[in-house]
Amino acid sequence: MKATTTNAPEAMARRVLSEYGETYAHEAGIRLRDTPAPLYRLLVLCVLLSAPIRASTAVAAARELFAGRLRTPRRMADSRGQDRLDALGRAHYRRYDESTATALGDGARFVLERWNGDLRRLRDEAEGEPARVRELLQEVPRIGPTGADIFCREVQAVWPRLRPFADARVREAAGSLGLPRTPRALAALVPVGDFARFADGLVRVSLSPDAADRLRAVPGDR
């Protein structure tokens, strides 16, 4: 039988989770927890993802930096700019490599001075309010609205007060699949602990040219 389409949101959400449900933090090798070091590594990843560059290249660059032991704001701040530049180069993160290497050093020093290297202090300063968290994140060099959205989208896995967080890109991708566009309605489609994966899965769908069409097609009876 020919493939048909379905409007069942729950079934679509399951497919998104199954086929695309991986956070960028996980892909970058970050075991995200509510502790200073992994939260900082997530911030580094968001700096890298903020440039108009392929997500896979940004993830590879994060892995290279972390493999070089640049996993905490202190180590990043104390590192040589050339070491940061070399790590980015190994990942072929080139077009923005010099400015990004500088931003990573400046950002590490800022996080140390502003929040003593602990981004949980940012959360506490914001009183857990997503809009205020986004504002404070944008004080970090190279973190703009896009980077702040990525951070909130990922960190909601360990900062429950931010849930459900779905930025414009997530909502747009959801709409393309016939899913609801509001964060709460989207969150109702998946287990609470899976929402960060689901949100990133929707972003991955939006980055794949044929993903939406393929997900909308449901195999016929077998």
Side-chain angles (χ1 to χ4, degrees):
M1 293 180 66
K2 286 186 177 181
T4 58
T5 59
T6 180
N7 291 321
E10 295 83 0
M12 180 62 77
R14 286 194 297 271
R15 294 194 70 188
V16 171
L17 272 175
S18 174
E19 298 187 36
Y20 294 94
E22 181 183 24
T23 65
Y24 288 101
H26 182 269
E27 185 182 356
I30 302 169
R31 186 176 179 181
L32 194 57
R33 292 173 294 170
D34 190 22
T35 55
L39 291 173
Y40 173 70
R41 290 196 285 275
L42 175 59
L43 186 71
V44 168
L45 176 61
C46 292
V47 168
L48 297 168
L49 286 167
S50 293
I53 200 164
R54 291 175 62 91
S56 58
T57 302
V59 167
R63 284 185 166 273
E64 287 291 342
L65 289 163
F66 303 152
R69 301 176 64 84
L70 303 182
R71 303 171 189 169
T72 67
R74 175 52 61 196
R75 285 188 176 274
M76 188 71 79
D78 290 346
S79 67
R80 297 184 311 140
Q82 189 61 50
D83 292 336
R84 300 191 294 272
L85 198 58
D86 289 346
L88 297 176
R90 288 193 296 273
H92 306 289
Y93 191 105
R94 295 208 168 95
R95 187 174 169 192
Y96 303 94
D97 54 356
E98 291 192 14
S99 62
T100 300
T102 298
L104 287 169
D106 292 344
R109 286 184 285 275
F110 179 86
V111 170
L112 286 167
E113 294 168 5
R114 184 75 163 78
W115 297 297
N116 198 30
D118 187 348
L119 292 170
R120 294 175 299 181
R121 296 189 177 198
L122 178 155
R123 178 196 59 201
D124 294 344
E125 182 179 336
E127 297 182 343
E129 294 298 325
R132 183 60 177 149
V133 169
R134 288 183 76 258
E135 287 178 7
L136 291 174
L137 283 167
Q138 291 177 67
E139 295 182 13
V140 179
R142 187 58 75 83
I143 295 287
T146 297
D149 282 344
I150 297 169
F151 187 92
C152 290
R153 198 169 69 220
E154 301 260 341
V155 85
Q156 66 181 319
V158 294
W159 286 1
R161 282 201 60 184
L162 265 63
R163 289 199 294 252
F165 183 90
D167 56 83
R169 187 158 202 171
V170 171
R171 298 193 303 270
E172 183 178 349
S176 75
L177 295 175
L179 297 175
R181 292 175 180 261
T182 66
R184 289 194 179 281
L186 283 172
L189 299 177
V190 297
V192 64
D194 287 336
F195 189 68
R197 287 201 305 118
F198 181 45
D200 270 4
L202 287 169
V203 171
R204 291 178 186 275
V205 168
S206 75
L207 295 172
S208 178
D210 62 347
D213 288 340
R214 191 169 60 79
L215 284 170
R216 281 193 294 263
V218 176
D221 295 334
R222 294 179 180 176

